[in-house]
Amino acid sequence: MSTRRATISDVAREAGVSPSTASVVFSGKTKVSDATRRRVLDAASALGYTGPDPRAASLRRGRSGIVGVVFEEHLGTAFLDPVKTLMMDGLSDGVAPLGAGLLLLRDTEPDGGTSLTTAPLDAAVLVGCSGHLRRSLDAVKARGIPVVVIEGDAGDDVPRIGLDNREAQRQAASHLRALGHTRVAIVALPARAGWEGGWILDGTAITVDVTRERLAGALDVFPDAAAYAAAGSFIDEGLAAGRLIFADPAERPTAVIAQSDLLAAGVIRAAEEAGLRVPQDVSVTGFDGIVVDGLAPYELTTLVQPAADKGRAAGRAVTAMLDGDGAASISFTCDFREGNTTGPAPA
Amino acid sequence: MSTRRATISDVAREAGVSPSTASVVFSGKTKVSDATRRRVLDAASALGYTGPDPRAASLRRGRSGIVGVVFEEHLGTAFLDPVKTLMMDGLSDGVAPLGAGLLLLRDTEPDGGTSLTTAPLDAAVLVGCSGHLRRSLDAVKARGIPVVVIEGDAGDDVPRIGLDNREAQRQAASHLRALGHTRVAIVALPARAGWEGGWILDGTAITVDVTRERLAGALDVFPDAAAYAAAGSFIDEGLAAGRLIFADPAERPTAVIAQSDLLAAGVIRAAEEAGLRVPQDVSVTGFDGIVVDGLAPYELTTLVQPAADKGRAAGRAVTAMLDGDGAASISFTCDFREGNTTGPAPA
DNA sequence: TTGTATGCGTTATCAT
DNA sequence: ATGATAACGCATACAA
């Protein structure tokens, strides 16, 4: 048998037309008479030709139809976070008009592997650029391909998809204050990469933007609140933090502001463990507005962030940039949602 | 400024060497004297050349360095499952020797989007091919690129990464029988795509392989056990199923075999709700061996499946196929792990 | 160790 | 509606 795969020229020859005509049959860029289309298609199936080679097409077109998504963490870790997962969904939508697929990339690339510098990308989306993704950013900028950053700051020339973290968190805090709470504790996201969990003290440097901004929002309302930064956004981390916070009955806060819904879920569990009722004895707020699997019957009082919209916006931004239009930074707004985990401060 | 990006020829000219020499400096395929390498690198940075264009390189090489991963669900849904997430990690490892990245693809592609037929893939991995991914499979086979299937059956000519679902589940069931349990209920995974949850009756067609196999394993030991198939692998689904199962005190089983750890976690919660202690009043087994966030202090009695290994094996299989070697199907084995959620049947 | 020549498979442009 | 032509940017076989 023939050892070589058929090319579009083979098909054209078999069909008795020119290669360009055959090409057009597949791309649909120009009108073709039904008769010739038919002949070309028949020839193609006779030769087992399944369509243009994407590699050649992308060279010729200058587009690969691939958008890289860069995470700082290990893939498995990244997707443990429902917010990131939703964002991917939105991103997937956002690049749809481009007809692009998403290539998963990690910040730290194994040697010789496909990386930002060697992958055939049309554009890239960096997720959570808190100083860490700097190298990736440089690589991408050097290649001159469009980039946008979600949840992070990459300088003025890189469009940024953000969130009103500080204002939103302030809203939740104000809600608690209005309910009469004064003794409040904060359970924060990690202060920096590799953070193992611990209290945030005066000298603690917080390099994660999201953590810093949400903390600032809470402190705007409760300047004296103590904050414990967990090692990650997990229920079990919230549980651990909650145990610390509820350990001393004398110092017990009447409300806990958690920086994520998962942390909040853990805090609630810790409260139950300590024999505290939510919200009668202690109020808890979350952040994100995701569905926390297994949290029923509680409905968190939380800030609902438009995670999927953020992804979609990022997709649209790179699409616009590829079309030669500029893309501006966008800041999204959270929605305050009152659930049944907050109530009046106990007397 | 210059409107065109520099190519390797430009660099070569600038450096006073031939294009092939410049090429070799970047690919490292051949020895180059330090002096010329230096000159080429300098010329490159002077021209702002950041390395070979991946599109051109992949056309020339015949490899794109991209492996497609095809899911049947929406991306966000797929990654809600920790098992899939772990599998992705393993897959990412498995294709590392290939130096390949992972392109996320959905079975049902939006028109005109990057798809199995238009993406520059070297190989593809189909996840969960229960009849549904058939079309994707055909597309990939037509293109003649290597495919492997995880958790599913794609015919004899497609290597398959499997699991001893039936035997493993039988092990858990036997464990329960040895503990004296006789009244056992099963909480299964969905019976088919789009399943909304419901009891599995005699006539119920089960098209999801995993569900069918695990069910068979449980029925091998408890032929009369009733089985409720949930709408998905979520804690809340397990909770709903558990409520049904524990509703009638007279018919209450002393043990529940759940087909996933998340379902088991929900069942445990339902038991607590019903005032039943685990494992004193009711035993619960899971499947997967993942860490269920928020389940502490319970440790599930479960079957630990090597999720990451499955991914790794899939990666290795496509790597082997690309190297021209054949790849055989592999079946992995689960490890039975006894936790504190099973105990002797109540008297 | 370096240079020369060639083609990878396509599609955009322009002419017919 | 169809065809001729010319890149797209690179890596390799082979010669020097």
Side-chain angles (χ1 to χ4, degrees), chain B residues 92-286:
Chain B
S92 162
D93 277 5
V95 298
L98 242 175
L102 300 178
L103 185 70
L104 260 30
L105 257 16
R106 255 171 25 205
D107 189 31
T108 56
E109 293 300 336
D111 294 303
T114 297
S115 66
L116 263 285
T117 54
T118 63
L121 305 181
D122 290 342
V125 176
L126 306 192
V127 180
C129 185
S130 307
H132 254 262
L133 262 36
R134 206 84 223 176
R135 192 136 84 223
S136 299
L137 184 64
D138 291 343
V140 166
K141 277 161 81 169
R143 274 183 65 182
I145 66 184
V147 203
V148 320
V149 166
I150 298 183
E151 288 164 13
D153 187 355
D156 287 342
D157 50 344
V158 177
R160 173 181 178 179
I161 311 295
L163 202 59
D164 63 333
N165 284 303
R166 182 168 187 168
E167 292 69 21
Q169 187 67 87
R170 190 155 48 202
Q171 233 175 313
S174 301
H175 165 74
L176 289 174
R177 189 178 49 190
L179 287 168
H181 293 272
T182 53
R183 296 207 317 283
V184 173
I186 298 166
V187 176
L189 292 166
R192 50 177 175 265
W195 179 261
E196 309 251 319
W199 294 97
I200 295 183
L201 308 174
D202 270 358
T204 309
I206 303 178
T207 64
V208 179
D209 294 345
V210 172
T211 306
R212 195 178 49 243
E213 294 169 5
R214 293 185 190 171
L215 182 59
L219 294 178
D220 283 344
V221 178
F222 298 108
D224 301 324
Y228 181 93
S233 183
F234 305 109
I235 295 178
D236 286 339
E237 282 293 321
L239 175 61
R243 282 176 179 153
L244 287 175
I245 288 171
F246 298 132
D248 181 356
E251 296 291 321
R252 189 172 286 163
T254 63
V256 177
I257 295 174
Q259 285 189 352
S260 82
D261 287 350
L262 293 177
L263 287 172
V267 170
I268 289 175
R269 205 139 290 152
E272 289 176 335
E273 257 186 30
L276 301 169
R277 293 161 306 162
V278 175
Q280 292 85 347
D281 300 321
V282 58
S283 289
V284 180
T285 66

Side-chain angles (χ1 to χ4, degrees), chain A residues 9 11-22 25 36 39-40:
Chain A
S9 305
V11 173
R13 192 175 324 113
E14 175 85 9
V17 301
S18 79
S20 43
T21 301
V25 167
T36 53
R39 287 221 309 288
V40 170

Side-chain angles (χ1 to χ4, degrees), chain B residues 7-8 20 23 49 52-53 60:
Chain B
T7 74
I8 204 167
S20 59
S23 170
Y49 180 82
D53 179 330
R60 177 61 236 237

Side-chain angles (χ1 to χ4, degrees), chain A residues 76 89 99 102 114 235-236 293, chain B residues 76 89 99 102 104 114 235-236 293:
Chain A
D89 264 352
L102 300 177
T114 297
I235 296 178
D236 287 338
D293 192 18
Chain B
D89 264 352
L102 300 178
L104 260 30
T114 297
I235 295 178
D236 286 339
D293 192 18

